[in-house]
Amino acid sequence: MSIADNFHAVQSELQGTNCRLVAVTKTHPVERLREVYDAGARLFGENKVQEMAAKQPDLPPDVEWHLIGHLQTNKVKYIAPFVHTIQSIDSLKLLLEIEKQAAKHNRVICGLLQFHIASEETKSGLSLAEAEDILQSDAFRTLQHVQLTGVMGVATFTDDENQLRREFRELRGYFELLKERYFAPQPTFKEISMGMSADYKLAIEEGSTLIRVGSAIFGARPALQG
């Protein structure tokens, strides 16, 4: 199947849900991004700042760029002029840097708090206590150029459906708790980003509003050139 066929196949599974598809374009060349754009994709996810900054000028301006990988504070400035959503916010320090860089461009950047829900310690993210510390801080209340719109998590790499569902439910629980305690009057706090190529169907069933799908659309990632 072509990239367009793959995109339409995943997209068709979202009918009747509140979930949207982020096409994860990491390591794929601009030509392949244009193929999926022509098929109707508008939400593109990149893991690395350098890759996103290099590709962005070559794609139409209506692409909604999502940074989904770990973000170092010293690299925020490279994507601040155009990034729509930073899904991987895991510290107050990062939030404050996004605020600073977005203000320079008179923009508001959307952000998701990334939670650690996987059994693998190598995956990053906040605990509930750490997230609440951020939301209760005086510094958070001063933000004008970052708008938190939800939560994100990366599940364990496993075939165990029960474990995946537990982790997705844990993230949804964090979302619901934060919504009730800190964002109740704000309809913009609505996103639960969970689910990737191997587990997005379960994530949709568990309430995901953003799935991050790469290989199911583009096929295996190209080998890195030596």
Side-chain angles (χ1 to χ4, degrees), residues 113-166:
L113 291 175
Q114 180 173 355
F115 282 91
H116 185 277
I117 58 171
S119 61
E120 297 115 331
E121 289 304 316
T122 51
K123 289 180 176 164
S124 58
L126 298 160
S127 67
L128 180 59
E130 290 168 335
E132 292 206 90
D133 283 347
I134 291 171
L135 297 175
Q136 292 169 7
S137 68
D138 292 337
F140 175 74
R141 296 186 185 94
T142 67
L143 301 180
Q144 297 180 355
H145 298 275
V146 190
Q147 181 171 46
L148 290 182
T149 56
V151 301
M152 184 269 256
V154 181
T156 301
F157 185 72
T158 177
D159 292 328
D160 184 341
E161 287 195 9
N162 289 327
Q163 181 175 351
L164 290 168
R165 287 188 187 276
R166 279 197 306 272

Side-chain angles (χ1 to χ4, degrees), residues 3 29-42 44 55 57-60 218:
I3 289 173
V30 167
E31 300 74 50
R32 294 187 129 212
L33 273 63
R34 289 203 188 101
E35 281 186 61
V36 76
Y37 177 91
D38 290 342
R42 292 297 179 271
F44 284 19
K55 291 172 179 175
D58 293 329
L59 286 153
F218 294 100

Side-chain angles (χ1 to χ4, degrees), residues 100-120:
K100 175 183 166 184
Q101 298 300 333
K104 289 181 181 178
H105 299 279
N106 197 29
R107 300 187 66 229
V108 176
I109 294 173
C110 295
L112 306 182
L113 291 175
Q114 180 173 355
F115 282 91
H116 185 277
I117 58 171
S119 61
E120 297 115 331

Side-chain angles (χ1 to χ4, degrees), residues 66-86:
H66 288 233
L67 195 283
I68 61 175
H70 180 69
L71 178 58
Q72 296 171 279
T73 52
N74 64 346
K75 294 185 176 175
V76 174
K77 60 190 174 190
Y78 299 114
I79 57 174
F82 65 87
V83 68
H84 181 279
T85 299
I86 295 171

Side-chain angles (χ1 to χ4, degrees), residues 179 183-190:
K179 175 83 174 170
F183 299 97
Q186 299 179 29
T188 50
F189 192 82
K190 63 182 182 179

